[in-house]
Amino acid sequence: MKKKILALLLAGCMAAGLCACGTPAADSGTGDTSGTTATADGDTVVIGVFEPLTGDNGAGGKQEYLGMQYANSITPEVTIGDKTYKVELSVVDNESSNDKAVSAASQLISQNVSIVLGSYGSGVSIAASDTFGEAGVPAMGVTCTNPQITEGNDHYFRICFLDPFQGTVLANFAHDELGADTVYCLGQLGNDYDQGLMNYFKQAAEELGMTCIQESFPKNNSDFTSYMTTAKNQGADVIFAPTSISYAQLIVEQAYSQGVNVPLLGPDTWDSNMVLAAAQGKDMDVYVSTFYAEGGDTEFEAGFKEFINSDSDNLNNNGGNDIIAAVSAMGYDAYYVALEALKLAGSTDPAAVMAALPQVTYTGVTGDIAFDEQGDAIRDSAFIKKANTEKEAWDFVTVQTVAGVSSDETA
């Protein structure tokens, strides 16, 4: 359990009384630095963005950042105490690499950021954690789900659900809705996200009486033929592959080419336009668990689609269309949670922001956000979506909880 007694005491001395909900009113201008070096200067506050813009997770990192950029474009200022500040986003590419994570984190710290958002990808978040902690800069994960990110520290928070929860949700769905007895689990060797989520899934699945067959592939693998053959020969009813987007595309394509006719089950990383494109026109079932489904907030969605379509770079960074990824909605909410922390802190000083974060609450497009004593978001459900291979879109299936209880509405 996090020991945040000092932080709570400090935050208790600050002005309280914050409230926010839904999509804020539009404002003019933008403070996005789009990768340029930014430092807090005068009446400017800098929010660091620690995301993969290249590498295996680059597609997801770009979409998560798009949500922050959109939020910044409509709310480019924040009032802290009695002063109004321009908000600048300063993004650094961690290249989806644990080896590059520390240098990327150090670059952000050198820019006098008040808080850091990210990263898409648990491994890079874990790798950079000590760097942020030693500098006294708070970080807030947006969609990084591995429990190790917030364990044993006071500086890393997150607004998404965790992998023990996600693994259990997916196991329940495979058992209750897909009728699986045997699940073939496949992930990248040595990848914290893949291996952790496979293990949480396996634990929950076996408690439900299912059999799990686990295999791992080496980094940079591009041929999944033998793995699909093993899944078929072992009589798998479902294939669960908690991988990056780039591997997910290959698995979808090669599962189809090998005649694998069982459902493919993916985690939040599979909620991607690129996975949809890989599945398009193929007679196959692809399901994902995720943080948001289109239709949840029509005002946000209309504005975000306009933002994407108004700029060719935004459109390219979203995968070439205006389908809203859940990570974009989460990035949007993360920006406003950061603003609430700054307002509650009454200061741009990272120490004050860190002290304020445990008390922040916010109602965003992805739901109510509050932190537990570990610094993790209090979340009790996940969206399950299915790839519509004719329309190249995600169809909402259900809202799944740990207990397997779904909403009244199903696809």
Side-chain angles (χ1 to χ4, degrees), residues 140-258:
M140 185 167 64
V142 182
T143 61
C144 45
T145 51
N146 189 296
Q148 295 178 56
I149 292 165
T150 55
E151 285 178 352
N153 68 70
D154 289 338
H155 60 271
Y156 228 123
F157 298 75
R158 88 178 94 209
I159 66 166
C160 61
F161 53 61
L162 275 66
D163 284 336
F165 169 84
Q166 183 171 209
T168 303
V169 159
L170 287 164
N172 284 334
F173 183 76
H175 180 267
D176 299 342
E177 304 299 328
L178 302 181
D181 292 318
T182 302
V183 180
Y184 178 77
C185 301
L186 181 64
Q188 181 188 322
L189 184 67
N191 185 291
D192 292 323
Y193 175 83
D194 297 28
Q195 297 300 317
L197 191 44
M198 279 203 301
N199 288 332
Y200 293 124
F201 179 95
K202 183 174 185 289
Q203 180 180 345
E206 289 179 344
E207 290 177 359
L208 292 167
M210 291 187 284
T211 299
C212 281
I213 303 159
Q214 278 187 288
E215 277 198 288
S216 297
F217 59 85
K219 186 176 181 180
N220 297 324
N221 182 70
S222 60
D223 185 356
F224 291 90
T225 303
S226 63
Y227 300 105
M228 295 302 100
T229 299
T230 299
K232 285 201 298 184
N233 291 343
Q234 294 291 329
D237 303 306
V238 169
I239 294 175
F240 174 54
T243 65
S244 69
I245 295 170
S246 57
Y247 291 127
Q249 293 174 268
L250 295 171
I251 290 169
V252 168
E253 292 165 352
Q254 293 178 31
Y256 181 76
S257 66
Q258 292 300 306

Side-chain angles (χ1 to χ4, degrees), residues 48-66:
V49 180
F50 178 64
E51 293 286 5
L53 305 180
T54 56
D56 289 343
N57 291 323
K62 288 175 181 177
Q63 288 184 310
E64 193 162 287
Y65 180 37
L66 274 173

Side-chain angles (χ1 to χ4, degrees), residues 281-292:
K282 299 177 175 64
D283 183 17
M284 61 193 311
D285 294 330
V286 180
Y287 296 91
V288 300
S289 62
T290 191
F291 314 102
Y292 181 82

Side-chain angles (χ1 to χ4, degrees), residues 371-388:
F371 300 107
D372 64 16
E373 292 184 1
Q374 185 71 30
D376 292 320
I378 301 169
R379 299 270 186 174
D380 62 0
S381 59
F383 291 89
I384 303 294
K385 300 193 291 193
K386 182 181 180 181
N388 186 321

Side-chain angles (χ1 to χ4, degrees), residues 260-278:
V260 175
N261 58 3
V262 301
L264 301 183
L265 191 57
D268 58 281
T269 52
W270 281 43
D271 180 16
S272 164
N273 300 350
M274 294 185 176
V275 175
L276 278 178

